[in-house]
Amino acid sequence: MSSDKQNNIRVMARQNGIVQPLLTDLYQITMAYAYWKSGKINDTAVFDLFFRTNPFQGEFTVFAGLEECLKFFENFHYSDSDIEYLKETLPPTIEPEFYDYLKDLTCKDIKLSAIEEGSVVFPRVPLLRVEGPLIIAQLLETTLLTLVNFASLMATNAARYRMVAGKNVSLLEFGLRRAQGPDGGLSASKYSYIGGFDGTSNVLAGKMFKIPVRGTHAHSFVTSYGSLADVRSRQLGGRDFLGAALAGRAAAARALAAAPAEASDGELAALVSYAQAFPSGFLALVDTYDVKRYSPRARRNGRAGYNSNCGSNARSIRDLSPARGARGCSTSESTVRSGLLNFCGVAIALNECGYRAVGIRIDSGDLAYLSVLARETFNRVAKELDLPWFSKLTIVASNDINEETILSLNEQGHSIDCFGIGTHLVTCQRQPALGCVYKLVEINGQPRIKLSQDVGKVTIPGHKEAYRLFGADGHALIDLLQRSSEPAPEVGQKVLCRHPFQESKRAYVIPSKVEHLYKVYWNEGRVCVAPKPLSEVRDRVQSSLKTLRQDIKRNLNPTPYKVAVSDNLYNFIHDLWLQNAPIGELF
């Protein structure tokens, strides 16, 4: 084994401590005992792990979680405390020798074949093929499913966000506080990065997975400052930074024909303090205060607001012209009169001290309108004050963003450079589970089929291989399952591809390229193919997605991708079906 491969495997050996043999359903262990009791210790089996339907009403899925499965295989072992717990939990009729058997179990006799992590995959095509002793293969089921199901769902969700956002917009995962517990949060950070996100706010995920960590400050930081007196030091780099920020705010107000008196001094104090702490990474949240708080009329009427969220992301920019926006949306007005004005003042002051501000974050209000307004503000300051770099400041938007929000913002012509996405991403709100299953397809060399009145739940029996056939235009055309005993399809040779259950659906395909989808990743107790670094898996997702036609990937009414079986496998399925299906009686 090469030193590079050894290094990769050593890195991979770090595993979430929760992932262990007892992270399973009780019935796996009770079945294991029943197998053991009936003398099936030497039986061998083949299990397929696959899903039946693509998530999010789409027509593709991204496979993820393989590296964690390999870690699980490497570390599979029942500890003494595990055995003691099982003795306390299982019925007293369990023979003591069974616990001795469990204590010696490892994955040394298991063979795992899988599709490369980060590949686009489709229903019915097994993602994992597990071969080996029946009992150990059965005991792996639940853990493998929990490692693959959420990982693949999360990576798919992230890939969809990446597609709707476009390649020129950055995506940050901000979902830890909304995730399904700490493990869900870590998994979401890891697999959103694989799916195409550029960074995360999750510091532990950054440490564990080498994901870029990004973040700024919250509204609470701004509201913790009440006036300019809260600035403890006026200095930055030996200069009067607070004075420079006040002068910069006044200069920006003149450039924008705005009234600096309406800007919050407490907010300016907060931004000055944050800039003093992070002069090279100053990215400020600018929507903390509602302008009504500073409007003389609002004060007379006794009105005050915080973080006003009027407006809708679905409203068009032309319906929010400056005149109409000023009358109709106080958040928009406050962002200009206070947040943006204070930011500009601090950014100008930083420039005088030899630093460049990064940009702003908007977390409420009409994101399309506000982003355009912010960009126009920056352009005007850049022109009026001869600061060309001002027009290139980054605009980050957050606030409960989902796919539909981004699509709507795209239609409105937003000026957002980066989306921070949390709840809808990490909880996969549109579909909370992928639905992978783990089915026995062969026992002791004999194929097995699961029958159901619901044809969608009928399994494809036997030890199979999977191939991806490409058309003349270079795009993936069809995935083909066939029996492992069949010769592989060849480039330029006609192949009959059949729907597994509908006799009339069939077509000839002459592939321009044939890709065998399976590699052996685990065999004889060791990793055979070292898992790739996360960055390479991330690249694999994008390169794999490029092989699909655009109509398969589109958000609305995508074209289904075809999965077929060979003519030989089709006949095999239906012969076995007839052999196992009971013959009904009419009375």
Side-chain angles (χ1 to χ4, degrees):
M1 188 183 298
S2 71
S3 60
D4 286 345
K5 187 173 291 187
Q6 288 174 332
N7 288 337
N8 280 338
I9 293 173
R10 280 199 296 272
V11 170
M12 189 198 71
R14 181 176 182 180
Q15 182 188 18
N16 185 337
I18 292 176
V19 181
Q20 53 181 291
L22 290 192
L23 185 66
T24 190
D25 294 307
L26 179 62
Y27 81 170
Q28 307 293 1
I29 297 172
T30 57
M31 283 193 291
Y33 177 67
Y35 286 145
W36 181 87
K37 179 76 172 171
S38 60
K40 295 177 77 67
I41 294 175
N42 297 318
D43 285 19
T44 59
V46 179
F47 285 87
D48 286 346
L49 188 153
F50 61 95
F51 61 93
R52 299 188 178 103
T53 307
N54 287 303
F56 310 118
Q57 298 180 326
E59 288 298 337
F60 72 88
T61 300
V62 174
F63 170 46
L66 175 60
E67 181 183 4
E68 298 301 320
C69 294
L70 295 174
K71 292 179 188 178
F72 176 56
F73 278 33
E74 275 201 326
N75 294 286
F76 186 95
H77 173 69
Y78 289 97
S79 68
D80 291 342
S81 64
D82 292 342
I83 298 299
E84 289 304 312
Y85 174 76
L86 290 175
K87 286 180 179 179
E88 295 170 2
T89 304
L90 294 174
T93 53
I94 300 290
E95 297 178 34
E97 292 79 6
F98 174 65
Y99 297 112
D100 295 333
Y101 171 78
L102 284 184
K103 194 169 183 179
D104 293 332
L105 272 186
T106 69
C107 289
K108 63 182 178 61
D109 297 320
I110 290 292
K111 180 179 180 181
L112 175 71
S113 302
I115 297 174
E116 183 177 352
E117 186 164 14
S119 300
V120 288
V121 289
F122 303 96
R124 294 196 170 278
V125 179
L127 310 178
L128 305 178
R129 184 178 65 212
V130 178
E131 307 170 61
L134 170 62
I135 295 178
I136 179 65
Q138 184 71 69
L139 286 168
L140 297 173
E141 175 181 1
T142 300
T143 315
L144 292 179
L145 286 170
T146 198
L147 291 174
V148 170
N149 257 316
F150 183 67
S152 300
L153 185 73
M154 189 68 238
T156 306
N157 200 24
R160 291 174 62 88
Y161 275 96
R162 167 49 64 200
M163 288 193 303
V164 298
K167 62 182 180 180
N168 296 323
V169 174
S170 296
L171 294 175
L172 301 176
E173 177 267 310
F174 283 175
L176 178 59
R177 63 186 61 196
R178 305 287 173 80
Q180 317 293 29
D183 293 291
L186 275 176
S187 295
S189 298
K190 178 179 182 179
Y191 295 111
S192 64
Y193 182 68
I194 283 177
F197 273 59
D198 300 290
T200 178
S201 63
N202 186 339
V203 180
L204 182 58
K207 177 186 177 183
M208 290 180 64
F209 308 123
K210 304 297 186 288
I211 301 171
V213 180
R214 300 287 183 267
T216 177
H217 60 82
H219 293 105
S220 58
F221 184 85
V222 178
T223 57
S224 70
Y225 290 79
S227 70
L228 295 178
D230 288 337
V231 177
R232 297 299 175 87
S233 170
R234 297 176 65 100
Q235 302 297 305
L236 177 63
R239 300 178 62 118
D240 181 3
F241 185 58
L242 177 56
L246 286 165
R249 184 172 72 176
R254 289 192 295 273
L256 299 169
E262 294 184 345
S264 164
D265 283 348
E267 183 179 48
L268 180 64
L271 300 191
V272 164
S273 299
Y274 198 78
Q276 287 172 320
F278 300 100
S280 298
F282 178 60
L283 194 147
L285 184 61
V286 296
D287 67 345
T288 301
Y289 291 110
D290 187 324
V291 71
K292 290 177 182 178
R293 184 181 181 96
Y294 308 105
S295 163
R297 179 179 298 176
R299 283 197 295 269
R300 285 195 301 271
N301 293 338
R303 296 194 303 269
Y306 171 75
N307 206 23
S308 173
N309 197 20
C310 65
S312 163
N313 290 335
R315 296 168 71 184
S316 69
I317 290 171
R318 65 175 175 270
D319 291 334
L320 284 166
S321 62
R324 299 180 72 176
R327 290 195 302 270
C329 184
S330 61
T331 301
S332 303
E333 218 174 325
S334 64
T335 300
V336 177
R337 294 187 182 181
S338 186
L340 270 179
L341 200 56
N342 280 327
F343 168 80
C344 289
V346 176
I348 291 167
L350 279 173
N351 183 62
E352 293 176 3
C353 295
Y355 299 99
R356 288 280 173 85
V358 175
I360 63 169
R361 177 163 73 96
I362 305 168
D363 191 50
S364 62
D366 191 305
L367 298 180
Y369 170 66
L370 288 174
S371 68
V372 171
L373 198 61
R375 182 62 66 202
E376 291 174 351
T377 297
F378 296 155
N379 289 339
R380 190 165 177 184
V381 170
K383 180 180 178 182
E384 296 294 329
L385 301 184
D386 193 23
L387 298 171
W389 55 271
F390 230 88
S391 62
K392 296 180 174 62
L393 287 167
T394 297
I395 299 172
V396 180
S398 47
N399 188 25
D400 215 24
I401 292 169
N402 58 28
E403 270 189 71
E404 287 70 27
T405 306
I406 297 176
L407 287 167
S408 175
L409 290 168
N410 289 344
E411 291 174 359
Q412 297 174 68
H414 68 81
S415 293
I416 297 164
D417 301 297
C418 176
F419 289 107
I421 304 174
T423 305
H424 292 276
L425 173 69
V426 303
T427 63
C428 298
Q429 282 194 349
R430 290 185 63 191
Q431 181 172 326
L434 176 57
C436 285
V437 294
Y438 187 84
K439 297 299 181 183
L440 178 70
V441 294
E442 188 174 284
I443 184 76
N444 296 327
Q446 298 300 310
R448 290 292 185 266
I449 187 171
K450 174 186 178 294
L451 298 181
S452 171
Q453 290 185 339
D454 181 354
V455 175
K457 291 191 174 182
V458 175
T459 60
I460 299 178
H463 194 287
K464 300 172 289 296
E465 300 295 334
Y467 300 90
R468 186 157 295 168
L469 310 184
F470 291 77
D473 62 359
H475 286 119
L477 191 62
I478 196 168
D479 278 12
L480 178 67
L481 293 172
Q482 58 180 48
R483 302 182 72 184
S484 296
S485 57
E486 295 183 66
E490 298 180 12
V491 172
Q493 299 297 310
K494 185 185 292 185
V495 181
L496 178 58
C497 298
R498 306 195 64 169
H499 188 285
F501 305 117
Q502 297 184 30
E503 185 174 14
S504 62
K505 290 189 175 182
R506 52 188 179 168
Y508 283 112
V509 175
I510 302 177
S512 64
K513 174 185 171 184
V514 176
E515 179 184 350
H516 185 204
L517 294 181
Y518 295 136
K519 295 178 183 177
V520 177
Y521 281 88
W522 175 271
N523 198 21
E524 298 179 347
R526 67 179 183 88
V527 174
C528 303
V529 178
K532 293 182 178 178
L534 219 60
S535 59
E536 292 186 27
V537 178
R538 186 171 182 267
D539 292 341
R540 169 66 180 171
V541 172
Q542 298 309 314
S543 63
S544 189
L545 282 167
K546 286 179 182 177
T547 66
L548 300 184
R549 296 194 318 267
Q550 190 59 42
D551 59 305
I552 295 170
K553 296 182 287 186
R554 68 191 175 205
N555 185 269
L556 184 63
N557 296 324
T559 302
Y561 181 86
K562 294 179 175 59
V563 173
V565 298
S566 66
D567 189 53
N568 185 307
L569 180 54
Y570 175 87
N571 291 318
F572 178 70
I573 294 168
H574 289 266
D575 287 345
L576 198 62
W577 195 335
L578 289 175
Q579 292 171 25
N580 287 274
I583 299 174
E585 294 185 33
L586 298 177
F587 295 94

